[in-house]
Amino acid sequence: MRVLLLGAGGYLGRFVADRLLADPAVQLTALGRGDDADVRFDLSTGSPGALTRFLDAVHPGVVVNCAGAIRGTASELARHNTVATATLCESLRRSGCRARLVHLGCAAEYGPSQNGSSIAEDAVARPGGPYGVSKLAATELVLGSGLDAIVLRVFSPTGPGTPAGSPLGRLADSLRRAMQHGDSELKLSGLAVQRDFVDVRDVARAVHAATLSAAQGVVNIGTGHAVRLREAAMSLARISGFAGTLHELEAPTVPRQHPDGPVSTPYPDGCGAWQQADVRTARDRLGWRARIGLEESLADIWMEAACRM
């Protein structure tokens, strides 16, 4: 099976590439903006015609799209997440390769949900910020493309390689600095948020399963269990050996534009205080479930943070 992977240099893409390369039946080609890509191509600025010619030359059976941006202005997010996906879908429609598309979406597309609920794929999506809006628009483009396509809506990925800007990445970095400086207490904010943390290696397994499946539409990828960030912080402190005290501060607010004027929210991802995936579709249609527990993910996060001490 020849697979074309877009975004192989990103956080999720690196682990997806490793998982696919471990399958001897897969011939993998990486396309992206970085020097480590097999072929240099920027989806956000490249033309559908150029990509179509490449698809016809390589003739992949599956295209996996891990490309995109998680930070930037609204216009930058729209270009890297929405316009790029439109280019990919148009190129696949024009191409004679008839490849299956596995597109990575995200839980930010859903927006806030009711505390204690599990979000199913048929939930009405109401993203609370420009990132979620740009990703939801990309998902709608994929679903309306007429292609053989599946969208994996990934909840909160974590584990090795977790970006420093993510909640768990920030926690690990704060602990590292506190231990380096010999601090006896650590002040943290926003710990009341509850998220469905899924290990990045489990996400890669889900992508691999989707390349082999005939399932279409949206499929949630999560654990089905929300964890309070405060609990994750305490576990990370124990794993790190931090002997000090954790003090929780009032969550800071982040300015956000609204038609009636600027408002503030303590949830910069636009997902509110609670998110938990309903993962029955992944189990039934992909034969997939999360295997790696949060403790193992946290231990791997701390191992990488400790190497910077």
Side-chain angles (χ1 to χ4, degrees):
M1 178 174 62
R2 187 179 296 277
V3 177
L4 177 64
L5 173 61
L6 295 89
Y11 173 43
L12 296 178
R14 294 195 300 272
F15 287 90
V16 170
D18 289 343
R19 178 72 187 188
L20 294 174
L21 286 170
D23 184 346
V26 171
Q27 296 178 345
L28 185 65
T29 301
L31 183 148
R33 293 177 290 175
D35 294 334
D36 54 347
D38 296 320
V39 178
R40 294 283 297 273
F41 188 85
D42 189 341
L43 270 181
S44 66
T45 58
S47 71
L51 184 54
T52 299
R53 290 190 293 272
F54 177 76
L55 290 169
D56 286 338
V58 175
H59 216 77
V62 178
V63 174
V64 178
N65 184 25
C66 297
I70 60 174
R71 294 180 185 84
T73 64
S75 61
E76 289 169 340
L77 290 168
R79 184 171 71 253
H80 288 289
N81 294 331
T82 311
V83 174
T85 302
T87 297
L88 176 58
C89 289
E90 179 61 23
S91 301
L92 285 167
R93 279 195 298 264
R94 294 183 188 181
S95 172
C97 69
R98 300 294 182 264
R100 172 172 171 78
L101 174 59
V102 178
H103 175 79
L104 266 63
C106 71
E109 297 172 38
Y110 288 120
S113 58
Q114 184 177 357
N115 189 53
S117 66
S118 292
I119 308 172
E121 289 85 356
D122 59 358
V124 176
R126 296 187 178 93
Y131 172 64
V133 169
S134 69
K135 291 294 290 184
L136 178 61
T139 288
E140 294 300 332
L141 286 169
V142 170
L143 297 179
S145 66
L147 299 168
D148 173 13
I150 183 171
V151 176
L152 302 182
R153 204 165 256 169
V154 179
F155 275 63
S156 298
T158 188
T162 294
S166 70
L168 295 182
R170 286 195 298 270
L171 282 174
D173 199 50
S174 297
L175 280 167
R176 177 187 61 80
R177 291 198 306 269
M179 295 176 72
Q180 278 182 318
H181 299 151
D183 297 337
S184 59
E185 63 177 18
L186 180 59
K187 297 178 180 179
L188 301 167
S189 63
L191 299 184
V193 170
Q194 297 183 70
R195 292 290 182 264
D196 190 332
F197 295 106
V198 57
D199 193 275
V200 66
R201 292 159 292 193
D202 279 333
V203 175
R205 285 181 41 249
V207 172
H208 188 205
T211 66
L212 303 172
S213 168
Q216 297 182 338
V218 176
V219 177
N220 287 339
I221 302 300
T223 66
H225 178 61
V227 175
R228 195 178 301 273
L229 196 56
R230 182 185 303 115
E231 297 173 12
M234 293 174 64
S235 295
L236 195 56
R238 174 178 49 77
I239 289 168
S240 70
F242 178 65
T245 304
L246 298 182
H247 289 291
E248 186 171 358
L249 304 175
E250 183 178 349
T253 57
V254 178
R256 180 169 58 86
Q257 288 302 119
H258 188 272
D260 298 327
V263 298
S264 294
T265 171
Y267 313 112
D269 61 0
C271 296
W274 169 277
Q275 266 203 336
Q276 177 175 285
D278 182 327
V279 294
R280 289 175 293 180
T281 302
R283 179 197 63 201
D284 296 342
R285 300 177 66 187
L286 299 181
W288 176 92
R289 65 177 180 82
R291 294 177 181 172
I292 299 174
L294 184 57
E295 285 282 315
E296 183 176 342
S297 301
L298 292 173
D300 289 330
I301 291 172
W302 177 248
M303 184 179 297
E304 292 183 348
C307 289
R308 298 193 293 272
M309 293 180 68

